[in-house]
Amino acid sequence: MYFQGPMQHFINVHTHNMADNNAIISFYEAFEQSGTVPHCSLGIHPRYTEKTSYAQLEAFAGQGNVLAIGECGLDKLCDTDWSLQETIFRQQIALANKLGKPLIIHCVRAYSECSHLLAAAKVPVIFHGFNRNLRIAQQLLDQGFYLSVGAALFNPAFEPVFTALPVDRLFFETDDRDDLEIDSLYKRAAELKKIGAESLILQVEHNFKKVFNHAR
Ligand SMILES: [Zn+2]
């Protein structure tokens, strides 16, 4: 168990807002500050590889309040050398396996490449900020991965995708959007799914326990 205090109701699985204490706060630098928050994830972001190092990550990733490794992954729209991105991603998958902690994935236009490398993952995997089409969603779901959805809930083009996603594979997140409230995301999602907000909240709590208790 990694919980330091209960995390429940309107769980925010990915944010960069240090003030949110019902969230997994994601750090891609300054890992030494992660000890000040109740729940976090630490990772080397493919866009910001120069901001930290694998040695730094390894030094802090074992702390009890570090619930997951990430965000990590592959990003085809950034300038980071591709083979470096792959190397760092592989290292983090191996670290997550070693620590038994889930992975939170940042993926931009590299779904097949991410999926390929994630075949090595022995821990649950959450793709954060999912906003793509149903075909990509289905490929990820078929591999057993979870999807975390944020601002895309307010994009009309994403509605038919979201309504088709299975609730037992979903999480919600505000990411870097300080203008978004996590409870408004749950409310919007429940409307789109035509289910009660309370049952959606309970379902995500269930998903959370399943994914994060897997990590012994
Ligand atoms: Zn993020």
Side-chain angles (χ1 to χ4, degrees), residues 16-208:
H16 299 280
N17 179 358
M18 298 262 293
D20 191 338
N21 59 17
N22 197 48
I24 297 181
I25 297 165
S26 177
F27 288 77
Y28 51 77
E29 60 183 338
F31 296 152
E32 68 281 1
Q33 292 175 20
S34 64
T36 63
V37 301
H39 326 274
C40 63
S41 65
L42 307 184
I44 305 172
H45 193 297
R47 277 184 184 244
Y48 310 119
T49 53
E50 75 292 348
K51 286 187 183 286
T52 186
S53 68
Y54 182 77
Q56 279 285 307
L57 176 64
E58 206 180 19
F60 288 94
Q63 293 180 142
N65 67 331
V66 179
L67 302 196
I69 302 303
E71 56 192 292
C72 58
L74 301 170
D75 187 329
K76 283 201 178 154
L77 293 186
C78 74
D79 295 331
T80 310
D81 176 75
W82 186 256
S83 66
L84 178 65
Q85 288 194 41
E86 288 191 326
T87 300
I88 292 173
F89 188 28
R90 279 182 217 269
Q91 286 178 319
Q92 293 181 93
I93 295 168
L95 180 63
N97 286 342
K98 190 175 101 182
L99 296 174
K101 297 188 181 187
L103 283 154
I104 296 177
I105 305 301
H106 169 100
C107 175
V108 176
R109 302 204 182 165
Y111 286 93
S112 59
E113 292 88 345
C114 275
S115 291
H116 180 69
L117 293 185
L118 283 167
K122 300 185 181 84
V123 294
V125 172
I126 302 171
F127 274 72
H128 108 80
F130 188 76
N131 60 4
R132 301 306 302 277
N133 62 40
L134 202 49
R135 184 182 59 80
I136 292 173
Q138 198 55 55
Q139 286 171 359
L140 300 176
L141 293 166
D142 286 349
Q143 282 188 265
F145 302 151
Y146 290 77
L147 305 177
S148 175
V149 179
L153 284 172
F154 296 100
N155 174 4
F158 186 67
E159 283 178 24
V161 178
F162 182 74
T163 53
L165 300 178
V167 289
D168 63 350
R169 297 288 194 84
L170 284 179
F171 288 102
F172 299 102
E173 63 174 63
T174 55
D175 197 9
D176 56 0
R177 292 282 299 264
D178 290 334
D179 58 325
L180 284 181
E181 299 284 347
I182 191 69
D183 50 344
S184 69
L185 293 179
Y186 276 81
K187 202 172 151 228
R188 178 72 184 142
E191 277 168 17
L192 292 173
K193 284 282 184 201
K194 298 185 172 32
I195 58 175
E198 191 61 27
S199 75
L200 184 63
I201 289 165
L202 293 174
Q203 177 66 56
V204 176
E205 282 181 29
H206 178 80
N207 300 347
F208 187 85

